[in-house]
Amino acid sequence: MASSSFINKQTVVSGVTFATDNFVAILNHQDLPSEFHIIQDFLASSSLKFALTEPASVSFKSIMQVWNSVTFDKGHSESILMSFEYDGVTHYVTPAIVEEALHLPVLGDVVPDNVSDSTLFEFVIKLGYNGEVKRYGNLFRTKLKKECNFFFDTTSRCFLNKTSNFDALPSGSLKFGYSLIHSTVFDYGSFILKALSDRKSD
């Protein structure tokens, strides 16, 4: 049995051979005990499935070429633009391009729902959080039921700008979870670009 929500992907899917350092979410029932199956099925039927299970095979050299040249511009609106150089050519990535590439819900001209912190804290409590819920930075996945722990571990590793401290339960994870469960309008493209921008500025 795998011990994480992600496993190393070394098989051929849809004609693409994944590099050995790519990881995909564990959504197959045989890889986890039965108590996780309802969460696996939920993720597998959600709008996140493609992003969780279809990583592109990209070389380390290509990734570093992009990352070393990438810049982010928020401009005069809430939208964020990513630009980078690749083989001498400048490329631009908008939230809409992120949504298309990862097969995420397209925001278009729809205004995202504004979910308050208090609503997200109530959401955590309803999930059976076993601890004090007062502020971000003091919330941990380990205080959730293990199937909910699995859900937030999966989304955090895939979409947030974290490379450590995966036991934390940040607002980004809660927003993803709340949006999926309550079918609210969420700006996935801008959220992902902002996470990358924050990581670049660290």
Side-chain angles (χ1 to χ4, degrees):
M1 183 186 75
S3 60
S4 171
S5 62
F6 277 68
I7 56 174
N8 195 264
K9 187 72 172 179
Q10 302 181 52
T11 57
V12 176
V13 178
S14 302
V16 177
T17 302
F18 293 107
T20 56
D21 58 352
N22 276 295
F23 289 78
V24 296
I26 300 174
L27 300 184
N28 295 318
H29 285 184
Q30 62 265 31
D31 292 319
L32 289 175
S34 59
E35 59 260 43
F36 292 93
H37 292 176
I38 188 171
I39 300 298
Q40 289 179 302
D41 291 343
F42 177 71
L43 288 171
S45 63
S46 76
S47 56
L48 304 185
K49 181 184 178 181
F50 183 89
L52 292 172
T53 60
E54 297 285 344
S57 182
V58 183
S59 70
F60 177 76
K61 180 180 178 180
S62 296
I63 292 173
M64 292 310 300
Q65 185 178 166
V66 170
W67 191 246
N68 288 334
S69 65
V70 72
T71 60
F72 296 88
D73 181 14
K74 191 171 181 179
H76 300 291
S77 67
E78 289 302 311
S79 185
I80 186 169
L81 176 69
M82 169 181 164
S83 62
F84 62 90
E85 297 283 334
Y86 189 80
D87 288 346
V89 179
T90 301
H91 298 268
Y92 299 94
V93 179
T94 64
I97 290 175
V98 173
E99 292 160 358
E100 180 181 1
L102 296 179
H103 296 202
L104 295 169
V106 177
L107 184 65
D109 296 327
V110 179
V111 178
D113 291 316
N114 184 20
V115 181
S116 67
D117 289 343
S118 60
T119 298
L120 292 177
F121 291 155
E122 290 175 8
F123 173 58
V124 174
I125 293 171
K126 288 180 179 179
L127 291 177
Y129 189 82
N130 183 26
E132 189 176 54
V133 180
K134 285 188 175 181
R135 61 182 177 83
Y136 300 119
N138 196 34
L139 300 177
F140 301 95
R141 290 188 298 103
T142 52
K143 294 186 178 182
L144 287 167
K145 295 179 180 179
K146 54 187 175 181
E147 55 268 32
C148 293
N149 186 328
F150 169 83
F151 171 84
F152 287 110
D153 183 45
T154 301
T155 54
S156 293
R157 289 177 186 272
C158 185
F159 295 106
L160 301 190
N161 60 346
K162 299 172 67 62
T163 57
S164 61
N165 192 25
F166 286 107
D167 282 342
L169 191 58
S171 61
S173 284
L174 296 179
K175 290 175 181 178
F176 265 89
Y178 188 91
S179 174
L180 284 174
I181 292 173
H182 294 278
S183 299
T184 59
V185 179
F186 188 73
D187 190 351
Y188 289 97
S190 293
F191 180 87
I192 291 170
L193 287 181
K194 185 179 184 305
L196 289 171
S197 175
D198 291 344
R199 187 64 193 173
K200 181 66 175 180
S201 63
D202 285 347

